[in-house]
Amino acid sequence: MTITAPPREAATPPPPAGPPAARRLGGLLLRQWRRLTAMRTAIVLLFLLALAAIPGSLLPQRSLSQSAVSRYFADNPTLAPLLDRLYLFDVFSSPWFAAVYLLLFVSLIGCVLPRALEHARALRTPPPPAPRRLTQLPDSTRLATTLPPAAALDAVEEELRVRRYRVVRRDREGSAELSAEKGVLKETGNLVFHLALVALLLGLAGGKLWGYEGSILVPEGQRFCNSFQQYDTHSAGAMVDSGDLTPLCVGLEDFRATYEEDLTAASFTADITHGGPGEEGESTTIGVNDPLRVDGDRVYVTGHGFVPRFTVTLPDGTTFDDVSAPFLPTEQSTMASEGALKLPDLGAGAEDQLALQGFLAPTGLVQGGILTSIDPRPLAPQVALVAYRGYLGLDSGLPQSVYSLDASQIERDRLTEVGRANLSAGETMTLPDGTTVTFNGVSEFAAMQFSHDPGQLWVLGAAVAVLAGLLGMLLLRRERVFLRAAPAPGDGGTVLDVGALTRGSGDGAPRFAALTDDLRAVLATRADSRTTRAPSGAAPETGGAPA
Amino acid sequence: MTADQLSTLSDTLFSTSVGLYSLAVVAFCAQLAFGRRPARERDLVGASAGAGASLPPAGARALPGEPAPVRRWGRAAMLLTAAGALTHTGVLVARGMATERLPWGNMYEFATAVVLVAVVAFLVLALRSPGLRHLGLFVLAPVVVSMVAIGLFLYVEGGPLVAALRSSWLAVHVSTAILGFGVFFVSGIASVLYLVRSRYEARGADAGSGIVARMPSAATLDRVAHRTAVFGFPIWTFAVIAGAIWAESAWGRFWGWDPKETWAFIAWVVYAAYLHARTTAGWRGRPAAWVNVVGLAVMVFNLTYVNMVSAGLHSYGGVD
Ligand code: HEM
């Protein structure tokens, strides 16, 4: 804060008496603007921002987990729609959250820009003249020396310059004065900090508008290309044109998960190839904490799971080799997974489709007919399958999850159970009509995410500036020291009045005492060297009377 | 020593630390009980009223005007606290050696480290300004309560880290988070005491009996709270930024309003509000102190509730 700046509140002008309507409106606006850019408002808005963020952490958020929100709707059918109307499941993109932070930032800009201008001016102007009454400054004292006034100020000036003060000498009404200042970077730090917050917000907003993200499950041996049609789920900012996505394709060659003895997951790594569509591509390995970064785009491995593989043989001998579908892990510690395999095209028509719904254990243990998973590694994979026959409803027009059967088809008896079995790798189940299903074992899939956020580096730069500004603002001290020299009555020496103003880290007094002690010592040595040169001089007086 | 022996040693040191801190609490109590209103206190008030400085300069170790038993109890309390801090450090060192990783991979270790930072912060403050030793009871009592709660509710056996935590950002992000939290802990306690003490001073209560009379002056407490918060705020800012950088490589986005992130942000905003409040007319003093207390409450909430109850990406707590 500029030392000379009056408090904002005090700057509000008194309302002019009985002005014409336009002026009154102008005055009103000005008053509201002053109120908005006052520090008190900033505090209240900061509090509001903190409060506004709270529901976003206590209620499920769509941006984090769509399924958690759906579950909340199912559990609270009356309350949820009400909350939804208040954007409580999208807090961080809600209009009221935006209103709070935009107000805060308007207040911040309104508060900081004028200060920045003022500070730019202050940087170019020398320290202000000493106040008339130095004794009224928070710290002040009086030094006495046998040196004449000019020599005394010379000595002090030199010492202050060594301490990296900016120093100005002035002559006012016959008495020599000295104004010194240091730590102007404190204010610079403050401005950098606050303006960097604005830059950070702009970076965030830009990243949201021009960024996008897509996720997809990729089984080993398969590849995907960066387009919204391919992704299982994606989100994109308003300015993203789906034709402009980076042309990049990624293939998953091999996925490995390693575990510690106690089955803590130690690493997930994926060997991938990446390159433009139609290209051979480069090979690299990515993993947790180690994404692929190409030209501002990133590809992550965000999870993994297993793909059970089956061979289905129809009674007529037709064989479908290697049919498979990714099963989603329901428990990370054992990788117990669930999923479904839909076979609509067995050639027997829409009413005679086959589906397998099941549970997969990478290392299975069957107890009392129930299959459980006891190890996340695929040591002895087993599946518990239920086979259905009938109409899957895939062409009904309603979207269906790829990972489960449409339960309503089962309820409506459009799909009927035709068999169930627990299978280890290599085992076969035979359905009543003679169809056989053989479990061949598992391969792995990786959950991958493609991210494009053009604001990211900008945000990082702003964050670094925030931190640098903060350190400057909090660690630096702004000090102003003023001295006025007057001839001591009588013996030709000098009396120096010293006063100081400190901003930041409140402890002005001990520092001021140390500074004046040093100045006293400097003056004494100077005076000494003069006396040695002119031995007739009076003994230097070193003690200073406090003001 | 084998990993098992080191783990056992770590657990033994934990109990030892709780014991030493409890004895320190007793000694701090005795110091307060035997002491009349410390003479130093008057100097502090005088200094702060006069020149805006209330922390006595470093090096003024002996507190003149204190009766000998008080000084003896005070010294014993400080020694016990320092010994506790040593064994407390040992808890983490032994844990780290047993698991061959940084000893802050789960909530038990994280919380234990936070409390250690708070104790060390207090020791540093008290060594630099002996007047602050009278805060000992008020810092050490919450420390003992926290340690017991950590031992009872958060304890987990040491184990290897999950894949996502195997990154050098663990050292950067979590260490600074611990440091910031520990410093805010001391700051929050100072503000609570400030609230108590300033009410007492406002009532014009005279030198006399009661623990409050022997606390450092309200001005001193306010200054300690502010200074520690000023120290903690850039550290916390850095911890949040480092967390975001880590999240970018571990989770695919640098900020996603995960509950833990959200509460870290809330805490940051509250501390920013505190720093503003300290320099704003109408907010100085008690209102600002309340903001600081809210800040500490947010930090504790973030450690406990958010880790244990809400499900987010940060669920590495190891507490079921
Ligand atoms: C995003 C919101 C904001 C944050 C996070 C923030 C943060 C901070 C922090 C941490 C300080 C340091 C306080 C200290 O020196 O101890 C500070 C100082 C300051 N802030 Fe802000 N601020 C914000 C918005 C504002 C707004 C809206 C205004 C103006 C109305 C403002 C005006 C100031 C001023 C004048 C100071 C200097 C105080 C002094 O040097 O005594 N800030 N700010």
Side-chain angles (χ1 to χ4, degrees):
Chain A
M1 187 177 288
T2 313
I3 290 167
T4 47
R8 287 242 153 225
E9 300 78 49
T12 313
R23 268 210 5 236
R24 208 158 50 212
L25 182 67
L28 185 76
L29 284 178
L30 186 63
R31 241 184 350 263
Q32 291 306 327
W33 175 250
R34 289 258 161 84
R35 187 172 297 169
L36 179 63
T37 57
M39 281 274 266
R40 289 158 200 238
T41 315
I43 298 173
V44 172
L45 287 172
L46 280 168
F47 252 116
L48 272 181
L49 186 65
L51 276 179
I54 291 177
S57 77
L58 300 182
L59 287 169
Q61 297 294 300
R62 289 207 171 86
S63 59
L64 285 173
S65 165
Q66 180 66 51
S67 60
V69 176
S70 310
R71 216 174 312 130
Y72 193 88
F73 267 84
D75 295 345
N76 307 277
T78 44
L79 185 60
L82 273 175
L83 298 181
D84 200 20
R85 214 164 314 146
L86 298 173
Y87 299 91
L88 284 167
F89 301 111
D90 305 282
V91 166
F92 302 106
S93 49
S94 69
W96 50 266
F97 191 73
V100 174
Y101 69 72
L102 288 179
L103 265 183
L104 181 61
F105 277 87
V106 169
S107 161
L108 191 155
I109 292 168
C111 171
V112 168
L113 272 191
R115 283 179 47 155
L117 297 180
E118 193 180 314
H119 182 57
R121 225 173 298 130
L123 279 180
R124 278 178 283 112
T125 46
R132 203 155 290 274
R133 311 260 301 265
L134 290 180
T135 46
Q136 284 187 344
L137 291 176
D139 299 304
S140 66
T141 186
R142 174 167 288 182
L143 307 176
T145 171
T146 53
L147 294 170
L153 282 187
D154 282 345
V156 170
E157 176 172 352
E158 199 174 296
E159 178 65 17
L160 287 175
R161 285 198 191 276
V162 168
R163 290 161 179 256
R164 306 210 285 143
Y165 280 85
R166 301 197 297 161
V167 186
V168 184
R169 292 269 285 268
R170 290 189 182 86
D171 249 317
R172 237 186 2 178
E173 295 158 20
S175 64
E177 282 180 13
L178 187 152
S179 302
E181 179 176 53
K182 86 170 174 186
V184 274
L185 282 183
K186 180 187 181 65
E187 175 74 358
T188 312
N190 184 324
L191 297 171
V192 166
F193 170 80
H194 285 92
L195 294 175
L197 286 177
V198 180
L200 195 137
L201 184 74
L202 292 178
L204 280 174
K208 278 271 169 295
L209 283 174
W210 279 278
Y212 61 85
E213 204 173 87
S215 330
I216 185 169
L217 299 189
V218 190
E220 283 172 324
Q222 291 190 15
R223 67 196 245 124
F224 73 95
C225 291
N226 180 28
S227 86
F228 289 155
Q229 290 92 321
Q230 290 216 359
Y231 291 126
D232 299 334
T233 58
H234 72 268
S235 61
M239 308 301 285
V240 175
D241 176 352
S242 60
D244 289 349
L245 307 196
T246 322
L248 183 76
C249 296
V250 176
L252 178 65
E253 306 292 319
D254 185 31
F255 181 88
R256 288 179 308 279
T258 59
Y259 294 88
E260 298 288 343
E261 272 168 48
D262 69 347
L263 300 184
T264 306
S267 75
F268 302 114
T269 44
D271 293 338
I272 58 165
T273 57
H274 62 94
E279 284 176 27
E280 178 77 356
E282 277 174 64
S283 301
T284 89
T285 301
I286 63 174
V288 178
N289 282 317
D290 185 19
L292 169 71
R293 296 176 193 277
V294 269
D295 301 335
D297 293 320
R298 291 113 55 207
V299 179
Y300 297 89
V301 179
T302 57
H304 75 120
F306 294 100
V307 183
R309 322 194 77 91
F310 302 94
T311 301
V312 178
T313 309
L314 300 184
D316 65 2
T318 321
T319 301
F320 296 84
D321 260 335
D322 217 26
V323 288
S324 63
F327 275 33
L328 297 184
T330 50
E331 204 186 88
Q332 287 297 329
S333 57
T334 62
M335 290 305 283
S337 312
E338 284 171 15
L341 190 66
K342 302 177 187 181
L343 299 166
D345 303 318
L346 295 182
E351 295 304 315
D352 192 17
Q353 300 170 331
L354 182 67
L356 301 170
Q357 173 143 300
F359 173 86
L360 167 76
T363 301
L365 176 71
V366 179
Q367 276 175 318
I370 306 288
L371 174 64
T372 50
S373 178
I374 53 170
D375 194 311
R377 295 168 294 181
L379 302 178
Q382 288 194 47
V383 284
L385 289 183
V386 183
Y388 292 93
R389 209 171 255 292
Y391 174 58
L392 284 164
L394 291 180
D395 48 3
S396 65
L398 296 174
Q400 232 187 62
S401 164
V402 230
Y403 305 110
S404 61
L405 298 185
D406 184 350
S408 64
Q409 299 296 82
I410 299 172
E411 275 162 30
R412 278 187 269 148
D413 281 337
R414 308 285 310 266
L415 274 178
T416 46
E417 183 181 329
V418 290
R420 55 171 71 208
N422 293 334
L423 304 179
S424 299
E427 290 182 345
T428 301
M429 78 190 272
T430 308
L431 302 182
D433 69 345
T435 304
T436 61
V437 176
T438 308
F439 175 46
N440 300 331
V442 297
S443 59
E444 301 209 37
F445 72 79
M448 301 189 106
Q449 177 185 312
F450 188 103
S451 303
H452 174 78
D453 182 348
Q456 195 162 281
L457 268 183
W458 176 270
V459 169
L460 180 62
V464 171
V466 162
L467 197 61
L470 189 59
L471 288 174
M473 148 166 71
L474 294 180
L475 298 184
L476 294 179
R477 240 168 300 107
R478 179 168 197 171
E479 289 169 275
R480 282 183 177 166
V481 179
F482 303 103
L483 284 100
R484 183 171 293 126
D491 60 1
T494 306
V495 176
L496 289 168
D497 279 327
V498 193
L501 255 179
T502 308
R503 267 301 146 127
S505 100
D507 259 343
R511 220 173 296 279
F512 182 68
L515 176 71
T516 46
D517 283 349
D518 287 354
L519 289 181
R520 227 170 248 137
V522 166
L523 290 170
T525 11
R526 265 310 158 84
D528 261 347
S529 62
R530 277 172 78 102
T531 25
T532 18
R533 265 184 277 125
S536 57
E541 193 199 328
T542 47
Chain B
M1 266 199 274
T2 66
D4 277 346
Q5 284 168 324
L6 282 167
S7 295
T8 316
L9 173 66
S10 171
D11 298 347
T12 313
L13 287 173
F14 189 91
S15 316
T16 314
S17 309
V18 176
L20 287 169
Y21 289 151
S22 306
L23 289 176
V25 166
V26 173
F28 278 123
C29 278
Q31 182 194 17
L32 287 179
F34 289 130
R36 271 168 278 116
R37 181 181 154 85
R40 179 100 213 147
E41 191 66 5
R42 241 162 258 138
D43 300 349
L44 286 173
V45 176
S48 62
S54 46
L55 297 186
R61 290 287 149 76
L63 299 180
E66 278 192 340
V70 176
R71 218 172 315 147
R72 240 175 285 130
W73 279 113
R75 191 170 308 141
M78 287 298 287
L79 283 175
L80 284 165
T81 309
L86 279 182
T87 55
H88 194 160
T89 311
V91 174
L92 293 168
V93 171
R95 253 295 158 122
M97 287 167 62
T99 52
E100 294 178 344
R101 58 170 172 76
L102 281 180
W104 35 83
N106 53 50
M107 260 180 89
Y108 166 73
E109 294 163 3
F110 181 86
T112 305
V114 166
V115 176
L116 176 61
V117 170
V119 173
V120 171
F122 163 70
L123 280 173
V124 170
L125 282 171
L127 285 179
R128 289 180 41 165
S129 353
L132 295 180
R133 288 185 195 172
H134 293 280
L135 288 183
L137 173 62
F138 309 102
V139 175
L140 266 286
V143 160
V144 170
V145 173
S146 309
M147 290 288 275
V148 170
I150 289 166
L152 285 180
F153 302 116
L154 302 183
Y155 181 79
V156 284
E157 298 279 341
L161 293 179
V162 299
L165 290 184
R166 299 185 182 199
S167 159
S168 31
W169 286 106
L170 175 73
V172 180
H173 169 61
V174 184
S175 314
T176 45
I178 288 170
L179 203 58
F181 194 165
V183 172
F184 284 149
F185 188 93
V186 174
S187 184
I189 289 175
S191 273
V192 169
L193 297 182
Y194 166 82
L195 288 169
V196 173
R197 173 76 192 196
S198 67
R199 198 175 58 193
Y200 163 86
E201 284 180 12
R203 284 211 205 107
D206 221 340
S209 57
I211 282 180
V212 182
R214 297 190 192 103
M215 282 182 191
S217 69
T220 304
L221 290 166
D222 191 37
R223 186 173 303 273
V224 169
H226 181 238
R227 282 225 181 155
T228 40
V230 160
F231 185 71
F233 189 72
I235 298 178
W236 186 245
T237 308
F238 179 80
V240 173
I241 294 174
I245 295 175
W246 188 5
E248 193 269 345
S249 65
W251 298 331
R253 81 290 180 294
F254 63 86
W255 195 270
W257 298 109
D258 175 77
K260 194 84 181 179
E261 292 171 347
T262 305
W263 282 96
F265 169 79
I266 292 173
W268 188 80
V269 168
V270 171
Y271 281 107
Y274 170 63
L275 294 183
H276 277 108
R278 273 275 319 203
T279 59
T280 304
W283 279 85
R284 279 193 202 101
R286 295 178 64 86
W290 275 112
V291 179
N292 196 19
V293 174
V294 169
L296 182 61
V298 168
M299 294 294 287
V300 171
F301 182 84
N302 197 3
L303 175 67
T304 54
Y305 180 87
V306 176
N307 271 18
M308 295 196 270
V309 183
S310 75
L313 291 165
H314 268 92
S315 307
Y316 303 126
V319 178
D320 293 313

